[in-house]
């Protein structure tokens, strides 16, 4: 795969990568860092990709690792509120969350604890299998299934009355 | 990528989930495009990963050829491996250490097969194998349930209690590289059937969190099986998943023997570390870890030069991951630091002081190391000789 092909594949996966980064990191400043790091890391390890049809899964796994690396860097030093607001400081080029008018469903997904939110997004939003998610998150398939089951129930309860969901 | 499972009964899977998420903000898109445009073409000719991968693979492939020499050095016999076989999962988790390395650890008392077990409410947790050096303790566990378990495998709390009564909380994913839970379950029925009777887990405890492993033993305490601090079970089926209890396992340690494999090198050489010019003062090598103490240069011109020359690459693999590349054996073989979550090079320090710490994902024969490697592809090296 040459640089052009790599670029094309990354851009075609861009929306998915952003949704996944956003579900883990929850602020745009960190999403930007994680996506950049993941792309650079992937390009430097390109020959470890055995089959091109798995490019997006492979890149997603790298992105998930980058997001967790970032998360570990952030968590010991800042409060949750500070972390959530990291992309909304004065001078930030990102709009704050309310101003962007996110949907109710998205906000409920984001309110799920990360234990449930990340498998939920990977499976129900992005369509990855339990097996793929277990490899990405370094968790047993049983744990992933349990988390999906609980996340589904939690969301079902919280999204009662939301048009199109029921 | 597979299709969504058709068997999920709760929730509306036809719902437009993707449509609920915000689209990529313009700034993120622009910065991604800029990053892609700036990728060097030449990189494809010499990707980092090919060298990392081949060097690691080659190490263990060639291991057998070194058997005789290593046996002589280590003072072990091949017969020992026949009597004292390592657990197959431990071997796999530690990326297939050679039989010679296994024998070395066996003979020095740095590994034990089997061990303590505890049973609560029909759930038995048993130690399959323990492997340690001075900085790291690996524990392979087997969890067996009398009845098939619905749901996943895991405990609410993971703690270590030292001889002095100090309790250390180890929670997967929240301590910095302190806890690597590479657990998996073996299905007793079809793959998608969530009923299991056996599970396995492999845990690592690192000294950068718990301090040096200077105790005769540690107690591993696992609490509340399948519990979650985030979720209260409501239905009968959910309640069945959770079992309250405390499983305590005594883990033997052998600190004195572990020290025999730790090498300390005093050096005075400047290398790029995290895109900084750092004079390395002391290197400590154990079979599982590499620690470096140094001093960053305050020369502004030099700092600028290093920042421009190395910054891109140090960012490329994430935070601090490229601080240290790995080690080179006397025969030229190279072992890189693990690039998994458990093996990132980390750094800290106040003012000009710098401390770096990295982990290998396999076992290094510390008696035969000739150099510590730095740089993008390990092209910068510090030759080492143990300080008497």
């Amino acid at each position: 795969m040459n640089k052009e092909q790599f670029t094309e594949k990354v851009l075609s996966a861009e929306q998915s990568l952003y949704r996944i980064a956003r579900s883990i990191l929850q602020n745009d400043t960190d999403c930007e860092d994680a996506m950049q790091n993941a792309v650079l890391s992937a390009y430097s390890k390109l020959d470890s990709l055995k089959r091109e049809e798995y490019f997006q899964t492979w890149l997603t796994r790298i992105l998930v690792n980058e997001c967790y690396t970032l998360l570990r860097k952030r968590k010991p030093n800042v409060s949750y509120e500070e972390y959530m607001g990291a992309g909304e400081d004065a001078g930030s080029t990102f709009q704050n969350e309310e101003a962007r008018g996110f949907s109710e469903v998205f906000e409920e997904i984001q309110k799920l604890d990360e234990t449930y939110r990340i498998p939920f997004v990977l499976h129900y939003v992005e369509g990855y299998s339990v097996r793929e998610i277990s490899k990405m998150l370094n968790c047993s398939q049983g744990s992933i299934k349990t988390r999906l089951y609980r996340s589904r129930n939690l969301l079902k309860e919280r999204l009662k009355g939301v048009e199109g969901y029921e | 990528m597979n299709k969504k499972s058709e068997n999920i009964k709760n929730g509306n899977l036809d719902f437009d989930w993707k449509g609920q998420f915000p689209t990529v903000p313009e700034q993120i898109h622009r910065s991604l495009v800029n990053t892609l445009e700036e990728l060097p073409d030449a990189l494809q000719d010499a990707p980092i990963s090919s060298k990392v991968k081949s060097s690691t693979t080659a190490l263990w492939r060639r291991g057998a050829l070194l058997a005789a020499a290593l046996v002589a050095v280590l003072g072990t016999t091949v017969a020992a491996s026949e009597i004292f076989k390592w657990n197959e999962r431990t071997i796999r988790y530690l990326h297939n250490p050679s039989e010679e390395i296994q024998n070395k650890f066996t003979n020095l008392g740095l590994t034990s097969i089997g061990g303590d077990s505890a049973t609560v409410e029909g759930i038995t947790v048993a130690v399959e194998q323990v492997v340690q050096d001075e900085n790291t303790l690996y524990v392979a566990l087997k969890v067996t349930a009398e009845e098939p378990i619905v749901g996943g495998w895991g405990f609410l709390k993971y703690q270590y209690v030292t001889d002095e009564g100090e309790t250390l909380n180890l929670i997967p994913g929240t301590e910095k590289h302190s806890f690597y839970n590479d657990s998996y379950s073996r299905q007793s029925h079809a793959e998608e059937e969530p009923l299991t009777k056996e599970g396995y887990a492999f845990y690592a405890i690192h000294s950068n969190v718990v301090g040096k492993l200077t105790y005769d033993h540690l107690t591993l305490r696992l609490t509340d099986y399948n519990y979650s601090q985030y979720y209260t079970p409501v239905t009968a089926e959910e309640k069945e998943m959770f079992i309250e209890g405390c499983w305590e396992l005594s883990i033997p340690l052998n600190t004195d023997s572990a020290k025999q494999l730790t090498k300390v090198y005093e050096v005075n050489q400047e290398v790029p570390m995290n895109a900084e010019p750092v004079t390395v003062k002391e290197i400590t090598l154990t079979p599982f870890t590499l620690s470096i103490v140094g001093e960053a240069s305050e020369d502004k011109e030099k700092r600028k030069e290093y920042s421009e020359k190395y910054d891109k690459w140090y960012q490329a693999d994430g935070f601090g991951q490229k601080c240290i590349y790995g080690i080179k054996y006397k025969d030229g073989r190279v072992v890189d630091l693990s690039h998994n979550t458990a093996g990132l090079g980390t750094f800290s320090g106040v003012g000009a002081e710098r401390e770096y710490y990295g982990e290998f994902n396999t076992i290094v024969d510390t008696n035969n190391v000739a150099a510590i490697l730095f740089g993008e592809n390990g092209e910068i090296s510090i030759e080492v000789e143990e300080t008497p």
Side-chain angles (χ1 to χ4, degrees):
Chain A
M1 188 184 299
N2 60 30
K3 180 183 164 182
E4 274 182 22
Q5 291 167 322
F6 178 83
T7 299
E8 192 180 320
K9 282 182 180 293
V10 169
L11 289 176
S12 71
E14 184 183 12
Q15 292 290 346
S16 171
L17 296 176
Y18 172 67
R19 284 192 293 266
I20 291 163
R22 197 66 170 72
S23 71
I24 300 173
L25 295 169
Q26 299 212 317
N27 80 58
D28 281 340
T29 310
D30 284 345
C31 288
E32 182 181 12
D33 288 346
M35 286 169 72
Q36 277 187 313
N37 286 342
V39 166
L40 289 168
S41 182
Y43 192 62
S44 71
K45 299 171 180 171
L46 201 50
D47 78 324
S48 69
L49 174 65
K50 301 276 189 299
R51 294 166 65 178
E52 286 191 20
E53 62 263 38
Y54 294 130
F55 178 84
Q56 191 165 331
T57 306
W58 173 75
L59 181 57
T60 298
R61 193 171 181 184
I62 293 172
L63 176 72
V64 169
N65 280 338
E66 289 294 342
C67 289
Y68 277 117
T69 303
L70 244 164
L71 207 54
R72 275 193 293 270
K73 283 278 174 186
R74 296 284 188 271
K75 274 189 172 175
N77 302 319
V78 298
S79 69
Y80 181 73
E81 289 73 20
E82 286 170 331
Y83 173 71
M84 289 292 283
E88 302 157 20
D89 296 339
S92 165
T93 50
F94 293 110
Q95 294 173 281
N96 68 43
E97 305 290 82
E98 286 180 12
R100 290 178 67 184
F102 293 140
S103 78
E104 190 179 343
V105 174
F106 172 73
E107 286 178 353
E108 289 300 335
I109 292 172
Q110 295 299 87
K111 282 179 194 169
L112 288 174
D113 185 88
E114 70 178 61
T115 309
Y116 303 122
R117 187 176 67 243
I118 298 161
F120 181 89
V121 170
L122 287 169
H123 188 67
Y124 293 119
V125 181
E126 302 303 330
Y128 288 102
S129 69
V130 169
R131 181 195 290 263
E132 286 169 325
I133 298 168
S134 83
K135 285 180 181 174
M136 284 179 197
L137 302 184
N138 219 1
C139 259
S140 70
Q141 290 185 45
S143 294
I144 298 298
K145 286 174 191 169
T146 306
R147 293 177 193 182
L148 289 173
Y149 172 74
R150 292 173 192 161
S151 64
R152 214 167 55 230
N153 284 351
L154 284 169
L155 271 181
K156 189 183 177 189
E157 189 63 31
R158 293 176 186 179
L159 292 175
K160 274 181 182 169
V162 174
E163 191 177 345
Y165 176 74
E166 284 189 316
Chain B
M1 207 184 308
N2 294 341
K3 288 183 177 179
K4 295 170 189 170
S5 167
E6 297 297 327
N7 299 324
I8 298 169
K9 294 170 186 171
N10 298 316
N12 182 355
L13 295 184
D14 295 328
F15 188 68
D16 178 20
W17 294 108
K18 287 180 184 171
Q20 307 302 315
F21 275 70
T23 54
V24 180
E26 184 58 26
Q27 168 155 335
I28 291 183
H29 174 69
R30 279 203 310 270
S31 93
L32 188 66
V33 169
N34 288 342
T35 303
L36 289 164
E37 284 174 353
E38 287 170 11
L39 291 174
D41 291 323
L43 183 60
Q44 294 146 28
D45 300 327
I48 296 169
S49 56
S50 64
K51 291 173 184 170
V52 170
K53 193 166 189 296
S54 62
S55 62
T56 309
T57 308
L59 171 68
W60 302 115
R61 194 171 289 158
R62 293 181 208 166
L65 300 175
L66 292 169
L70 281 170
V71 165
V73 170
L74 307 176
T76 61
T77 64
V78 175
S81 66
E82 293 166 7
I83 298 166
F84 195 91
K85 286 210 179 282
W86 279 37
N87 176 273
E88 61 180 39
R89 281 175 288 278
T90 303
I91 293 173
R92 182 151 43 88
Y93 281 126
L94 295 178
H95 293 79
N96 304 312
S98 66
E99 285 190 11
E100 291 71 30
I101 292 280
Q102 292 177 35
N103 287 340
K104 180 181 190 174
F105 270 66
T106 301
N107 290 352
L108 286 173
L110 296 178
T111 185
S112 55
I113 305 290
D116 207 1
S117 70
T119 302
V120 178
E121 297 284 337
I123 303 289
T124 299
V125 184
V127 175
E128 285 198 314
Q129 185 165 1
V130 175
V131 187
Q132 73 158 114
D133 69 6
E134 204 179 354
N135 279 336
T136 309
L137 176 70
Y138 288 109
V139 183
L141 293 177
K142 179 178 181 179
V143 184
T144 311
E146 284 177 4
E147 298 297 326
I149 291 288
V150 178
W153 297 85
F155 296 89
L156 175 61
K157 285 183 184 172
Y158 303 81
Q159 294 175 318
Y160 273 80
V161 186
T162 69
D163 275 355
E164 286 146 14
E166 187 183 7
T167 301
L168 304 154
N169 281 309
L170 298 170
I171 303 169
T174 57
E175 299 284 343
K176 55 174 183 178
H177 316 311
S178 66
F179 194 99
Y180 181 51
N181 177 4
D182 189 7
S183 62
Y184 64 96
S185 59
R186 192 170 72 189
Q187 307 291 346
S188 59
H189 300 286
E191 189 182 324
E192 294 303 317
E193 173 61 55
L195 300 179
T196 60
K197 276 192 171 181
E198 285 183 2
Y200 303 92
F202 196 71
Y203 300 136
I205 294 90
H206 301 297
S207 68
N208 60 338
V209 174
V210 302
K212 291 275 184 193
L213 301 171
T214 57
Y215 313 102
D216 289 335
H217 87 282
L218 288 169
T219 300
L220 171 60
R221 180 186 290 162
L222 309 170
T223 311
D224 293 348
Y225 185 76
N226 246 352
Y227 247 87
S228 167
Q229 57 187 310
Y230 307 114
Y231 187 75
T232 305
V234 179
T235 66
E237 185 191 9
E238 287 170 346
K239 283 178 181 170
E240 277 181 24
M241 292 181 184
F242 301 99
I243 298 167
E244 288 184 14
C246 182
W247 291 256
E248 287 199 341
L249 303 164
S250 180
I251 310 289
L253 297 178
N254 195 342
T255 310
D256 290 340
S257 285
K259 283 179 182 169
Q260 292 179 38
L261 300 181
T262 298
K263 307 294 175 187
V264 179
Y265 310 108
E266 288 180 9
V267 291
N268 187 28
Q269 188 174 326
E270 189 173 87
V271 294
M273 300 278 270
N274 213 44
E276 280 187 314
V278 172
T279 301
V280 173
K281 301 288 188 185
E282 185 179 274
I283 299 171
T284 304
L285 176 70
T286 75
F288 290 120
T289 66
L290 189 54
S291 314
I292 291 180
V293 176
E295 189 176 307
S297 169
E298 292 176 350
D299 181 328
K300 286 184 180 174
E301 283 301 312
K302 189 179 278 183
R303 289 185 66 82
K304 188 181 174 194
E305 176 196 329
Y306 271 62
S307 174
E308 289 170 355
K309 188 173 178 183
Y310 297 108
D311 194 43
K312 189 86 177 173
W313 282 109
Y314 288 125
Q315 286 182 20
D317 259 356
F319 290 89
Q321 198 165 344
K322 301 290 281 185
C323 290
I324 318 163
Y325 184 84
I327 61 101
K328 185 168 76 177
Y329 281 121
K330 290 171 183 169
D331 64 5
R333 291 173 299 135
V334 169
V335 182
D336 63 314
L337 286 174
S338 166
H339 283 209
N340 295 321
T341 49
L344 306 182
T346 58
F347 69 98
S348 59
V350 178
E353 293 174 9
R354 294 289 182 273
E355 290 181 13
Y356 306 87
Y357 181 86
E359 292 146 16
F360 301 101
N361 64 7
T362 188
I363 306 177
V364 166
D365 179 8
T366 54
N367 285 328
N368 284 308
V369 172
I372 310 301
L373 305 178
F374 304 83
E376 181 188 328
N377 287 317
E379 70 277 12
I380 301 165
S381 69
I382 293 180
E383 291 187 12
V384 289
E385 199 170 316
E386 194 173 7
T387 308

